[in-house]
Structures are given as structure tokens and as C-alpha cells.
Amino acid sequence: MNNTSPYSASFTACGLQFNEFNLMLPMLLSEDRDALIDKEVNNNNILNINSHKSRYRVIVEYKKRVDAMPADFWSWYQTLDGQAQRIALLYVILKTYRIAFDFHVKATMRKWRSVVQTLTKPDLMMAFSEIAASDDFVDSWADTTKGKVASAYLPILRQVGMLDMFNAQLSPLKAQPQAYAYYLNHGEDWFLEACLLQSYEIEQIKSDLL
């Protein structure tokens, strides 16, 4: 198959990994990135992942995420507090992985706007059916692969505080207005909706940032 699909299952290699990613970020932004990364892959000083292959796969995904964003984003990111950084990493994941973005739009945001504001793996599998209907590459994925991708997405929402681990209830990501400044200043207003904020909350944030 000549794969021109925008979709990939590669983000199953690692989830949000907030602490680990932040420890690696100076290395990932360094001019000596490749040499420093090779050293980490071989020596395992930061990640504490026993498997050499797994360390390599995780770092490949970290690099994708860093490279998906412009330099000014990462400068801003490093000024944020912990919760705002978690929100920002959700944004990075949605920008890096089309499958995560479509899950968010076709499942998470739809369920939030519905009567039952919960999100479970079956909801994501329904979204998979919708995606696969228009993408032959995704349609070719084995059920086990689809299950792994769905299972990798849900913990990300839990770790940023959007999904309760016990009752699967969705919640909006609320933070200080400055936590949303980058998105508004760069025409990425959609992300505030993706944080499940109501229209009046978004307008209040915009007003507070003026």
C-alpha cells in the first residue's frame, strides 16, 4: 500500500510522560541534540527505561513533539507552571498526532457536548470506525493496534486532568488566563474549545488577557 495517510500509531510508544519529557527538554532543544540523545539512548541516565529499543522509540516521539512546534512555543512553555505545562503538552500531542486530534474532536468534544459527559474506550472505537471509513491505512490496522492506540490516548486525558480515572467523567481544563495566551496570540483559539471551556469562559479569558 502506498501510504499517504496522515495517521500513525507511533504515539503508543509513550503517553504524556510529563516529568520525563521535561527532564529531556533541555537536551531536545540543544544545538548538540543528536549527540546528547545518542548518549542518553546508550547510557539511560534520565529516562530509566531498561530496554535500549524502548528508550530509542520514546526519544523519537519526543523529537517529533518538539519539532512539531516553533521555537517560541518552547520558550513560552518553560515559563509556565506545572498544570499549564500539562495543558500545553496536550496541545502538542494534538498538533503532532492526527489520530489523537481526531479522537479529541470526534469522541472527547462530542461526548462533552452530549447528555452523558463520559468518555470510555468504546467511544474511541466508534471514532475509529468513522476515521477508518475514509482512510484505507487506518482501516488496515489490526484490532489489537486500534485497541492500543485508544488505550494510549485515555491516560493522556487523565494525566492532564480532563478525565476522571474512576467514573470516566470529562472535565474542562481550567487555568490562569496566561496559560492560554500562546494559543490566542497565534490564532489557535480552537484549542480553548478542545480544553472543553464554555464560550463565556473563553471570552472572559480573552478579556483578561487584553
Side-chain angles (χ1 to χ4, degrees):
M1 180 184 298
N2 181 19
N3 181 22
T4 58
S5 172
Y7 297 99
S8 167
S10 67
F11 90 104
T12 56
C14 62
L16 191 74
Q17 297 202 332
F18 175 72
N19 292 324
E20 296 88 344
F21 180 84
N22 279 351
L23 287 171
M24 289 288 295
L25 187 57
M27 185 183 302
L28 293 162
L29 295 174
S30 170
E31 292 181 358
D32 299 321
R33 179 171 82 168
D34 290 343
L36 293 170
I37 283 175
D38 285 344
K39 185 176 180 181
E40 174 59 23
V41 169
N42 290 321
N43 297 337
N44 196 27
N45 291 323
I46 297 175
L47 290 176
N48 292 318
I49 298 172
N50 289 332
S51 166
H52 183 281
K53 181 179 179 180
S54 295
R55 285 197 302 277
Y56 177 78
R57 289 183 64 211
V58 166
I59 290 174
V60 165
E61 297 311 310
Y62 286 176
K63 288 170 65 177
K64 284 182 187 177
R65 296 173 188 187
V66 167
D67 293 346
M69 306 305 303
D72 69 327
F73 173 85
W74 295 113
S75 297
W76 174 74
Y77 174 88
Q78 292 174 88
T79 71
L80 302 174
D81 63 26
Q83 177 56 13
Q85 285 188 340
R86 286 181 172 86
I87 293 171
L89 283 183
L90 175 63
Y91 172 75
V92 172
I93 287 171
L94 298 184
K95 294 285 282 188
T96 306
Y97 305 103
R98 175 66 180 273
I99 193 71
F101 178 86
D102 278 11
F103 275 166
H104 209 77
V105 172
K106 297 178 185 296
T108 303
M109 294 175 72
R110 282 182 185 172
K111 289 303 297 285
W112 175 245
R113 293 166 180 157
S114 72
V115 175
V116 181
Q117 296 176 323
T118 58
L119 184 73
T120 61
K121 187 174 178 180
D123 297 317
L124 299 181
M125 300 313 289
M126 289 180 63
F128 249 130
S129 297
E130 186 175 343
I131 296 164
S134 59
D135 190 283
D136 291 340
F137 178 60
V138 174
D139 191 43
S140 73
W141 291 359
D143 289 343
T144 52
T145 299
K146 293 176 182 177
K148 287 178 181 177
V149 173
S151 295
Y153 171 77
L154 291 171
I156 292 170
L157 299 190
R158 296 188 190 108
Q159 290 159 23
V160 299
M162 186 175 280
L163 185 67
D164 189 277
M165 68 180 298
F166 298 108
N167 61 17
Q169 177 68 41
L170 290 164
S171 299
L173 296 179
K174 296 186 178 181
Q176 294 298 314
Q178 185 57 36
Y180 305 102
Y182 180 90
Y183 320 114
L184 294 173
N185 291 338
H186 289 75
E188 299 282 80
D189 301 41
W190 65 269
F191 182 64
L192 278 71
E193 293 184 44
C195 288
L196 310 184
L197 299 174
Q198 301 290 346
S199 297
Y200 74 88
E201 293 173 313
I202 294 172
E203 290 307 313
Q204 184 61 57
I205 291 168
K206 290 178 178 179
S207 176
D208 290 343
L209 288 173
L210 290 176

